[in-house]
Amino acid sequence: MGTGIAQVAAMKGLDVILCDSHSGALERSVINTERYFKRSVAKEKLTQEDAEAAARRISASSDLQALEPADFVIEAINEDESSKKAAFLLLDQIVKPEAILASNTSSISITRIAAVTKRNSQVVGMHFMNPVPVMPLVEIIRGIATSDEVFQTAKALSEHLGKTVCLSLDRPGFIVNRILMPMVNEAFYTLMEGVGTAEDIDKGMKLGTNHPMGPLQLADFIGLDTCLSIMRVLHGGTGDPKYRPCPLLVQYVDAGWLGKKVYKGVYTYA
Ligand code: CAA
């Protein structure tokens, strides 16, 4: 997600510092970005000159300190509340006091993330959709303390990136995943109970309801660990048993079958 956000921002003329503590992830990100710009030139969606300019606008660092001059930070680490809080604690110390800190969290409370910082009015949720260069939405989430000015800046930035905004209250799963994830979870129950094969479940939803991907294929694409984390946020945050994670989804994650990124999820990838 971070790579996609960086690509779109650089193509829209913004200077980007891409930061990841794992240098391997940074290298992959730079390679993917080069590949993406090359493909965009080949498809005549970008001129060679614009692609080169966009590539020059991205710098990469494995040291969080590199973010010190940033005006706007978008965190896109794994969907885990304690990791996000730890990242925001550090960012709050590193980044200049007037900067805005945004989280690309797909379900976790912005209010709780903001509470670990000394700038909770300058923390906002900006939930991009995967793949970022293709999907036209950013879901903006205001924490209880997020100021109007910060909300307006996040909205203007999203629109500058060519995205349309929907605004959600800071509730578990926000709008998109409150609705999307129970469908994905239900697809796992449907598979677990043998109602249909994975292929038939996906075929039914793809062709029968005009979804671009079936729910199990989409789960592999998103990452089964992310899907499970979001279901746990919905279940824990509302206390409503209707959000209980499907045991089969839990078991797949326990097995390390996390989806496309590890070449094995509901389906196996070459
Ligand atoms: N980066 C950049 N561009 C990409 C891309 C990527 N990772 N993946 C696909 N594309 C581009 C392709 O290059 C292609 O572009 P052109 O039209 O210019 O040729 C276009 O997208 C369509 O791709 P394909 O023809 O290869 O395949 P497709 O028609 O099946 O589309 C898809 C692929 C856009 C991913 C489509 O299947 C789709 O929309 N799937 C659903 C995605 C979705 O629901 N995303 C939201 C997930 S939920 C989420 O992100 C939030 C969360 O918190 C979990």
Side-chain angles (χ1 to χ4, degrees), residues 36 39 43 45 106 127-131 133-135 177 180-181 212-213 218 221-222 230:
Y36 173 66
R39 256 199 335 261
K43 286 185 197 163
K45 289 191 163 176
S106 38
H127 180 210
F128 290 79
M129 305 294 138
N130 199 10
V134 180
M135 303 297 284
N177 281 323
L180 178 67
M181 277 310 146
M213 288 173 164
L218 182 63
F221 178 67
I222 293 168
I230 297 169

Side-chain angles (χ1 to χ4, degrees), residues 3-45:
T3 304
I5 297 167
Q7 289 165 354
V8 173
M11 282 164 62
K12 295 290 181 180
L14 302 176
D15 291 325
V16 180
I17 306 163
L18 200 52
C19 216
D20 196 304
S21 55
H22 299 282
S23 53
L26 269 183
E27 277 163 29
R28 271 200 309 281
S29 179
V30 170
I31 291 167
N32 283 341
T33 299
E34 281 167 5
R35 211 176 284 154
Y36 173 66
F37 287 157
K38 225 178 248 172
R39 256 199 335 261
S40 301
V41 172
K43 286 185 197 163
E44 296 181 353
K45 289 191 163 176

Side-chain angles (χ1 to χ4, degrees), residues 105-182:
T105 176
S106 38
S107 61
I108 298 167
S109 164
I110 296 301
T111 302
R112 285 204 300 273
I113 294 174
V116 304
T117 72
K118 294 193 178 69
R119 60 177 99 193
N120 53 9
S121 65
Q122 288 157 248
V123 177
V124 65
M126 277 177 86
H127 180 210
F128 290 79
M129 305 294 138
N130 199 10
V132 178
V134 180
M135 303 297 284
L137 185 81
V138 174
E139 184 176 35
I140 296 193
I141 304 98
R142 291 184 70 155
I144 196 164
T146 309
S147 71
D148 285 342
E149 196 189 338
V150 166
F151 163 63
Q152 291 300 342
T153 307
K155 183 167 181 279
L157 175 60
S158 306
E159 287 167 354
H160 179 80
L161 299 180
K163 308 297 183 192
T164 298
V165 159
C166 75
L167 172 63
S168 171
L169 280 183
D170 189 15
R171 297 287 185 272
F174 317 131
I175 294 172
V176 172
N177 281 323
R178 165 90 175 250
I179 298 168
L180 178 67
M181 277 310 146

